[in-house]
Amino acid sequence: MARAFFRRRKSCPFSGKDAPKIDYKDVRLLQGFVSERGKIVPSRITAVSSKKQRELAKAIKRSRHIGLLPYVVK
C-alpha cells in the first residue's frame, strides 16, 4: 500500500503571470491575509513565499498605521 494521505503542494498566490501586486492601499486583498482577530496569518497556512510574506506583513503594518486596517477587531 502506497501513501494513505497525500497533501497537494500549495503555490504562492503572488507569484505567477497574473498575480496581484501587494499594495498597502489594497485593503480587500490584505484582509484575506488577516485573521478574524486582526492577526497576520502565517505563510504555512496561506502558502505565501517567505519573500512575499515579508512584503505582505510590511504592507499590512503600513495600512494599519495609516488607518486603513484595524489593529484589533472587537
Side-chain angles (χ1 to χ4, degrees):
M1 187 163 85
R3 284 179 154 151
F5 182 66
F6 176 71
R7 187 176 304 226
R8 188 177 67 85
R9 191 85 178 127
K10 298 180 197 171
S11 62
C12 179
F14 296 110
S15 62
K17 190 176 178 186
D18 297 324
K21 290 281 188 190
I22 299 173
D23 187 20
Y24 71 94
K25 295 172 291 216
D26 191 359
V27 178
R28 181 163 290 163
L29 175 73
L30 297 179
Q31 280 178 339
F33 297 93
V34 176
S35 71
E36 306 87 42
R37 307 285 275 161
K39 292 184 172 184
I40 300 172
V41 180
S43 62
R44 61 186 160 78
I45 296 172
T46 58
V48 178
S49 66
S50 58
K51 181 180 178 183
K52 295 292 182 176
Q53 179 73 15
R54 286 191 299 273
E55 224 176 287
L56 186 65
K58 194 175 283 189
I60 290 171
K61 290 173 186 177
R62 185 173 288 163
S63 181
R64 283 176 178 164
H65 184 74
I66 292 172
L68 301 175
L69 276 178
Y71 281 95
V72 183
V73 179
K74 295 180 181 173

